[in-house]
């Protein structure tokens, strides 16, 4: 049985950069007084849904999410502004 | 800029488009790059009214260039691996342009590196207005997948996508339309017939066409992948598969040949002939293979009979083939897959899966093939 790997800080940075790059995660600006699902968790769930992964909103559940993020891939369709 | 692509679905308002190759990668000869780019555009021309003309000066609709890190747009590349390329949706100026990360190793045909044809065909999908698809078999799926350019056929998902923007190719020969676009199998299709099933180091692998579903204890949804994404030189549309817990390899069978993989790696000396197991020459393919953990024997099913192979001695057992129904109650016909799971033996026969107690041969349940695919 695969040994659950701890999530390192590098993993978290990588995941955030991945979600910014490919799933429009935006920097949170303004007062953060509202409680609710964090934008990172929300985008992570969106990414897991897109790839047919187990939807947990976190990186800790299994390696599949992190493995998928590490795969070579194509950039999203860009729009000239 | 982030919201632009949500509000409109840009497409070219003309069918005749121009392209220009601004520079080259040192990884490939200029003729290989030219050929790869031309073929990649032809993939889309084959199924739409779009036609592409190469120009050598001025500004083309689709400008093609290789660059690394910051390369003149707001989207720097990231060095080797990671992002391989990106492209701009149809629009004047930068729109339609495709940029390739020069820090990658691009190749013409081999799967050591990234096949430029495959990367370019994907990026030109963006250049024409497509966004990413979540169909793992689609060309527009965001993760790179190796395919042999010589046998590549644009999948159905991509054909539907591009034709929803531009319509079909009016010049397609109705008498000889060419190969059917491949579709991606659905694990919860009630008519699903699996090619093979195997364990793999604690996971279950269900094979169908060029795909497999991978299911492991913690997952609730099986993960679908292309077989060649996992094992680049493995066969697709296989006949049988099993994991030899004796040699810690997974073996895939297709026709008279068998491939063995240790993890991701093809074991030296494979593929080899199935006769290397001692099967008679008259056996041209096997229908299913099952490794019995308790006895250390592998059962090879051929038609309505089966052979028994001793993994330790590497010899075929005497007294075989036997009729399958001599051991498995009611199993009188050909099988499509066989495997063991949690101590029970499952034998797939078309859309149904028969659950047996192998020691007694008694039939315990009749299930649907997709029973273990968590539908």
């Amino acid at each position: 049985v695969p040994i659950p790997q701890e999530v390192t800080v590098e993993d978290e940075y990588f995941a955030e950069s991945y979600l910014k790059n490919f799933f429009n995660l935006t920097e949170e600006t303004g007062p953060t007084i509202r409680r609710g699902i964090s934008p990172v968790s929300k985008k992570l769930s969106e990414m897991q849904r897109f790839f047919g992964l187990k939807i947990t909103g976190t990186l800790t559940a299994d390696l599949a999410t992190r493995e998928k993020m590490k795969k070579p891939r194509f950039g999203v369709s860009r729009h000239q502004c | 800029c982030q919201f632009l692509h949500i509000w409109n679905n840009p497409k070219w308002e003309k069918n005749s488009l121009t392209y220009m190759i601004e520079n080259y990668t040192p990884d490939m000869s200029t003729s290989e790059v030219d050929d790869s780019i031309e073929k990649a555009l032809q993939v889309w021309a084959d199924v739409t009214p779009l036609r592409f003309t190469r120009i050598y000066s001025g500004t083309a609709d689709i400008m093609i260039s290789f660059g690394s890190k910051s390369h003149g747009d707001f989207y720097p590349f990231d060095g080797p691996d990671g992002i391989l390329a990106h492209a701009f949706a149809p629009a004047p100026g930068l729109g339609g342009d495709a940029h390739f990360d020069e820090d990658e190793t691009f190749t013409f045909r081999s799967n050591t590196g990234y096949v430029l044809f495959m990367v370019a065909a994907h990026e030109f999908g963006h250049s024409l207005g497509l966004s990413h698809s979540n169909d793992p078999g689609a060309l527009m799926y965001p993760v790179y997948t190796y395919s042999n350019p010589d046998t590549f056929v644009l999948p159905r998902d991509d054909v539907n996508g591009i034709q929803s923007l531009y319509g079909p190719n009016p010049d397609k020969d109705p008498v000889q339309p060419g190969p059917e676009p491949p579709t991606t199998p659905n694990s919860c299709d009630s008519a699903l017939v699996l090619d093979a099933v195997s364990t793999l180091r604690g996971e279950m692998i269900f094979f169908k066409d060029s795909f497999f579903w991978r299911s492991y204890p913690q997952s609730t949804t099986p993960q679908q992948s292309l077989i060649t994404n996992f094992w680049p030189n493995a066969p697709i549309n296989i006949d049988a598969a099993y994991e030899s817990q004796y040699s810690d390899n997974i073996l895939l069978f297709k026709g008279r040949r068998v491939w063995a993989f240790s993890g991701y790696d093809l074991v030296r000396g494979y593929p080899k002939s199935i006769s290397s197991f001692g099967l008679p020459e008259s056996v041209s393919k096997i229908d299913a293979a099952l490794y019995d953990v308790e006895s250390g024997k592998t059962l090879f099913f051929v038609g309505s009979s089966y052979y028994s192979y001793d993994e330790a001695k590497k010899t075929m057992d005497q007294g075989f083939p036997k009729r399958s129904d001599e051991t498995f109650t009611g199993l009188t016909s050909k099988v499509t897959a066989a495997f063991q799971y949690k101590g029970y033996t499952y034998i797939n026969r078309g859309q149904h899966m028969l659950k047996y107690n192998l020691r007694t041969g008694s039939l315990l349940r009749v299930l649907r093939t997709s029973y273990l695919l968590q539908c």
Side-chain angles (χ1 to χ4, degrees), chain B residues 19-189:
Chain B
Y19 73 96
M20 188 164 94
I21 301 175
E22 293 187 83
N23 60 2
Y24 284 83
T25 170
D27 303 343
M28 298 164 62
S29 68
T30 53
S31 61
E32 288 177 336
V33 171
D34 292 345
D35 181 85
S36 300
I37 297 297
E38 185 184 351
K39 276 196 171 54
L41 289 165
Q42 194 54 39
V43 160
W44 301 105
D46 278 349
V47 295
T48 64
L50 296 171
R51 298 295 175 264
F52 301 95
T53 306
R54 182 175 182 182
I55 63 171
Y56 293 85
S57 62
T59 303
D61 299 307
I62 301 174
M63 299 291 277
I64 296 156
S65 61
F66 293 84
S68 60
K69 299 295 182 21
S70 288
H71 54 276
D73 60 22
F74 291 107
Y75 308 103
F77 285 132
D78 56 358
D81 303 314
I83 301 176
L84 307 179
H86 60 219
F88 288 80
L94 206 55
D97 293 359
H99 302 163
F100 298 87
D101 185 350
E102 179 45 62
D103 285 330
E104 311 303 345
T105 299
F106 291 106
T107 69
F108 187 53
R109 283 291 176 274
S110 88
N111 63 4
T112 54
Y114 301 103
V115 177
L116 179 60
F117 163 78
M118 289 310 297
V119 179
H122 175 103
E123 294 309 329
F124 294 152
H126 291 314
S127 300
L128 299 176
L130 290 181
S131 49
H132 284 147
S133 163
N134 64 1
D135 176 337
L139 173 62
M140 294 312 291
Y141 187 67
V143 174
Y144 171 83
T145 303
Y146 167 81
S147 278
N148 180 343
D150 297 322
T151 56
F152 176 79
V153 177
L154 190 64
R156 169 57 59 191
D157 184 79
D158 304 289
V159 173
N160 292 348
I162 199 72
Q163 288 186 346
S164 71
L165 292 177
Y166 298 101
N169 178 4
D171 305 326
K172 180 81 71 175
D173 178 352
V175 175
Q176 288 187 322
E180 184 63 23
T183 55
T184 301
N186 176 344
S187 62
C188 293
D189 175 356

Side-chain angles (χ1 to χ4, degrees), chain B residues 239 254-257 274 279-286 302:
Chain B
D239 298 326
K254 184 170 183 177
R256 289 184 181 278
R257 292 200 292 167
I274 56 175
L279 288 165
E281 284 301 321
S282 58
V283 173
S284 60
K285 68 177 289 261
I286 67 171
V302 180

Side-chain angles (χ1 to χ4, degrees), chain A residues 2 21-22 24 26 50-54 62 64 67-68 71-81, chain B residues 1 5 75 82 84-85 87-89 92 94 114 122-123 126 132-134 141-142 144 216 218 221 223:
Chain A
N21 241 339
F22 306 115
N24 280 334
T26 49
F50 181 88
F51 284 113
L53 300 167
K54 184 177 169 183
D62 59 273
E67 279 179 353
K68 185 63 84 173
K71 284 190 181 295
R73 61 161 289 162
F74 307 102
V76 295
S77 178
R78 294 298 181 190
H79 290 270
Q80 175 185 307
C81 298
Chain B
C1 182
H5 70 281
Y75 308 103
L84 307 179
F88 288 80
L94 206 55
Y114 301 103
H122 175 103
E123 294 309 329
H126 291 314
H132 284 147
S133 163
N134 64 1
Y141 187 67
Y144 171 83
Y216 44 94
Q218 301 102 329
T221 52
Q223 263 264 293

Side-chain angles (χ1 to χ4, degrees), chain B residues 330-343:
Chain B
L331 191 61
T332 56
S333 61
K334 180 180 177 223
V335 303
T336 47
F339 60 99
Q340 276 190 349
Y341 179 66
K342 294 189 175 176

